[in-house]
Amino acid sequence: MKKLYAAFLLSMTVIGASAQAPCPVIPAPVKAVLTDGSFILSKYTRIYTESPSLKDAAAYLQQELVQKELMPLALTQEEAAPNTILLTLDKTPAEGDEGYTLHITGKQVRITGNAVGGVVNGISSLLQLIRLQKNSAGNIRIDGWQITDAPRYRWRGFMLDESRHFMGREKVLQLLNWMAFYKLNRFHWHLTDEPAWRLEIKRYPRLTLIGGAGSFTNPLVPAAYYTQQQIAEIVHYAAQRNITVIPEIDMPGHATAANRAYPQYSGGGNAQHPDFTFDPGNEHTYGYLTNILREVNMLFPSGMIHLGGDEVSFGTDQWLKNTGIKKLMEQHGLKDLKAVERYFMERMADSVYGMGAKLLAWDEMAEVSLPKDKTIIFWWRHDKPAQLKMALENGYDVVVCPRLPFYFDFVQDSLHRMGRKWGKGYSPLKDVYAFSLASLVAEKQQGQIQGLQANLWTETVTNFNRMDYLTFPRIAALAEAAWSKEERKNYEDFTGRLKKQLALYRDEDIYFYNPFNPSEIPEPVYFRKDKRNLSAQEN
């Protein structure tokens, strides 16, 4: 009889546990238990920081509560003060630097991180709980969640291309807020390309004054770019949110905007891609570009610079006619233009390494011999899994960002017409969420995978509505795909939590795609004022 009673109690415990409402946080925490307690967030709530190193984390919490018109909170020096949010550090090796615990009781909210990044992740979970439970006015009651959490991947990234269309400081700050909200921690900033150069370099002012003019759809728009002061502000804002900003300065291809400003360093191109390359046969090119990278490295304390290195063959038509390149090939025994390209990248890589930074590059560089501990390869060509395999076999760490499903300029609905497709392929929400490397990466190579990243190229992104529509809600799916291990992912559970997030998008006037009612918010159109670079949209 006792055994039957014990079995009955066990079954009731299981039923009770399964009946618990799912934790609404995205990405889903590793472990989340709902207790009977709750915390009342009010104007009397204070924030306590255990360590001076948590000052920026506290500022992040304060800023978000004020910006979202929730509750302005002051700091306190009293750890035991009632109605307090405590931010503390306590290393738990098994959970890495970004692991955290979030304990909510009637008296306090305690966020403990393995490092500052872990505390920020805990704050992001708390902010979701607050915003999802916000009432119309007054105090906010937060359910008593006990969360223990840590990410799967160290790199959870989002890339924004601003060469083709300039979004500006306020939109970038908004994007950083949402990245932090979903615990994405790498902002890859594509600042230079064919249409325009968007980063102030004091030694070469024409890069922005001349190269900063125009866009992908209109070459006549006035110069738009970020000053070095604005870069510093954005980098600090991101750091408060546990986001590392990585600049991309494209070379040797995609250099048209720079070459408009300083044509003496141009290696030429073709009718479709004029002045597409820098000149590897001009010895002064290397000093010029190194000077630029020195300023870039000073502005971005990430210790990482992305040099592109992709699609160079789009504009090498004039290289074989270039006497300097012919001489270079003879001097160094370079048998073809691919070898010239490798020579160029190896020299520029040495410049980056000499600054104490890591080199990042697209998967075309997987075959180049570079220091494995100082180089990260980005696998983007989903149709060329051999490039991923080569990068891993050659010993490189890899960030995974294949066009399908992680290029967010691809449409997310089969009926959409204004973005890209790959044949009939596109990037719906479910594919972003369900992406798996199981069939692509051997178990012994899993440690070389830095993480996942989505890339938003902006050929068709002429305004904020299109940027929002292509980003939301796929950014939430990306976040959970990069945070959660395969065995923990559940698309049905994710979409249940995602539905609650749509109200938050509306609160911030985000023009999002609604996967639950696709006709509710129409796909925004874009208009092209010229036909230059049309092929770049098709490739």
Side-chain angles (χ1 to χ4, degrees):
M1 188 69 180
K2 289 182 179 179
K3 290 182 178 179
L4 288 173
Y5 182 66
F8 170 76
L9 288 178
L10 178 61
S11 67
M12 291 305 293
T13 301
V14 172
I15 291 171
S18 63
Q20 173 183 295
C23 182
V25 170
I26 293 175
V30 173
K31 181 181 180 182
V33 177
L34 181 60
T35 69
D36 293 334
S38 62
F39 181 84
I40 303 300
L41 185 73
S42 73
K43 63 182 180 180
Y44 302 107
T45 303
R46 295 293 179 264
I47 303 171
Y48 172 81
T49 57
E50 175 192 60
S51 166
S53 66
L54 296 173
K55 179 182 177 181
D56 278 350
Y60 164 49
L61 176 57
Q62 289 177 303
Q63 290 168 10
E64 286 299 295
L65 291 174
V66 170
Q67 288 175 9
K68 304 305 183 293
E69 299 181 354
L70 293 168
M71 199 75 66
L73 300 185
L75 300 178
T76 181
Q77 301 297 318
E78 301 178 45
E79 180 178 1
N83 201 245
T84 301
I85 299 173
L86 286 82
L87 308 180
T88 66
L89 295 170
D90 185 12
K91 183 72 174 176
T92 304
E95 294 177 0
D97 287 343
E98 291 191 275
Y100 71 93
T101 59
L102 168 61
H103 288 172
I104 301 173
T105 68
K107 295 182 179 180
Q108 66 178 211
V109 174
R110 179 181 287 271
I111 298 172
T112 302
N114 294 350
V116 175
V119 173
V120 173
N121 287 332
I123 290 171
S124 295
S125 288
L126 175 63
L127 287 168
Q128 286 199 42
L129 294 173
I130 291 171
R131 293 185 64 187
L132 290 168
Q133 295 179 202
K134 177 188 174 185
N135 49 31
S136 57
N139 300 340
I140 301 173
R141 177 184 171 276
I142 312 170
D143 289 340
W145 286 100
Q146 311 290 301
I147 293 175
T148 301
D149 203 8
R152 177 185 186 184
Y153 289 122
R154 65 181 71 90
W155 189 295
R156 305 178 302 282
F158 189 95
M159 189 221 77
L160 177 64
D161 162 28
E162 285 203 79
S163 173
R164 290 171 176 83
H165 287 103
F166 186 76
M167 296 296 130
R169 176 181 176 275
E170 294 305 316
K171 195 61 179 177
V172 167
L173 294 182
Q174 183 188 54
L175 175 62
L176 291 171
N177 283 338
W178 282 104
M179 287 179 63
F181 195 67
Y182 290 131
K183 305 184 183 73
L184 297 172
N185 67 349
R186 299 286 189 272
F187 179 49
H188 176 178
W189 210 354
H190 188 83
L191 292 164
T192 74
D193 211 305
E194 292 181 80
W197 182 286
R198 305 298 190 188
L199 169 64
E200 179 189 24
I201 300 297
K202 292 187 180 294
R203 185 162 181 166
Y204 303 106
R206 293 204 299 271
L207 283 172
T208 46
L209 296 178
I210 297 174
S215 71
F216 182 81
T217 52
N218 183 0
L220 302 179
V221 297
Y225 59 90
Y226 293 99
T227 66
Q228 294 198 358
Q229 179 61 39
Q230 289 173 324
I231 292 290
E233 292 171 359
I234 291 169
V235 167
H236 176 68
Y237 191 87
Q240 288 181 317
R241 288 151 179 76
N242 189 40
I243 297 171
T244 301
V245 184
I246 298 104
E248 181 176 356
I249 309 298
D250 242 326
M251 61 182 72
H254 294 277
T256 307
N259 290 333
R260 286 202 308 271
Y262 294 93
Q264 63 267 42
Y265 304 112
S266 173
N270 55 36
Q272 208 168 28
H273 300 279
D275 290 306
F276 185 75
T277 65
F278 290 116
D279 184 359
N282 180 354
E283 185 62 25
H284 295 293
T285 299
Y286 300 98
Y288 162 68
L289 293 175
T290 298
N291 290 335
I292 290 172
L293 294 180
R294 285 197 183 103
E295 287 197 36
V296 171
N297 192 51
M298 174 192 71
L299 289 168
F300 295 90
S302 60
M304 293 180 277
I305 303 177
H306 200 300
L307 294 191
D310 64 313
E311 299 178 328
V312 183
S313 62
F314 283 12
T316 56
D317 294 24
Q318 296 178 33
W319 278 19
L320 285 176
K321 304 173 186 176
N322 184 311
T323 56
I325 292 178
K326 288 180 180 180
K327 184 177 179 180
L328 182 74
M329 295 175 74
E330 292 173 2
Q331 285 180 336
H332 296 277
L334 307 176
K335 64 179 182 178
D336 54 25
L337 294 186
K338 192 69 176 175
V340 174
E341 179 186 332
R342 291 174 190 163
Y343 171 86
F344 174 95
M345 288 300 290
E346 286 171 359
R347 280 195 64 172
M348 293 314 305
D350 285 342
S351 292
V352 172
Y353 302 143
M355 300 170 198
K358 282 191 174 184
L359 171 76
L360 283 54
W362 301 112
D363 64 40
E364 283 92 334
M365 292 296 105
E367 57 201 70
V368 178
S369 180
L370 298 168
K372 306 305 181 286
D373 60 332
K374 299 178 182 179
T375 307
I376 299 175
I377 298 297
F378 286 62
W379 177 58
W380 67 279
R381 291 180 290 179
H382 72 281
D383 56 321
K384 296 184 183 295
Q387 290 298 116
L388 172 61
K389 183 179 179 181
M390 178 192 300
L392 294 171
E393 289 181 348
N394 287 346
Y396 291 114
D397 282 355
V398 176
V399 172
V400 174
C401 53
R403 279 174 294 210
L404 295 180
F406 290 138
Y407 271 31
F408 281 7
D409 49 315
F410 278 74
V411 299
Q412 52 196 318
D413 188 299
S414 61
L415 298 179
H416 291 169
R417 300 174 56 245
M418 294 295 170
R420 295 171 65 188
K421 291 183 180 179
W422 188 267
K424 294 183 179 180
Y426 58 101
S427 298
L429 181 75
K430 187 172 184 178
D431 286 3
V432 175
Y433 183 85
F435 179 79
S436 172
L437 285 168
S439 63
L440 295 169
V441 179
E443 184 65 32
K444 65 179 181 179
Q445 295 172 327
Q446 289 289 341
Q448 293 172 245
I449 301 298
Q450 289 272 316
L452 308 180
Q453 178 173 294
N455 299 332
L456 180 59
W457 302 100
T458 58
E459 284 92 342
T460 70
V461 184
T462 58
N463 55 59
F464 293 164
N465 279 359
R466 278 202 60 79
M467 179 176 166
D468 290 348
Y469 198 79
L470 293 171
T471 302
F472 295 88
R474 288 188 291 191
I475 191 172
L478 165 71
E480 192 149 321
W483 187 273
S484 301
K485 294 182 178 179
E486 299 299 330
E487 62 270 19
R488 299 196 64 258
K489 289 161 68 173
N490 183 314
Y491 185 68
E492 183 178 354
D493 175 72
F494 167 74
T495 54
R497 285 176 283 122
L498 181 62
K499 286 179 181 178
K500 299 177 182 178
Q501 301 271 327
L502 302 189
L504 305 184
Y505 301 162
R506 292 189 174 95
D507 285 346
E508 290 197 34
D509 293 325
I510 296 291
Y511 193 94
F512 64 95
Y513 168 68
N514 186 347
F516 310 106
N517 183 10
S519 62
E520 178 198 0
I521 302 174
E523 180 188 20
V525 300
Y526 80 100
F527 299 97
R528 181 189 300 278
K529 292 189 179 181
D530 74 347
K531 294 185 180 300
R532 69 176 182 172
N533 294 338
L534 179 61
S535 64
Q537 185 184 341
E538 306 301 330
N539 288 328

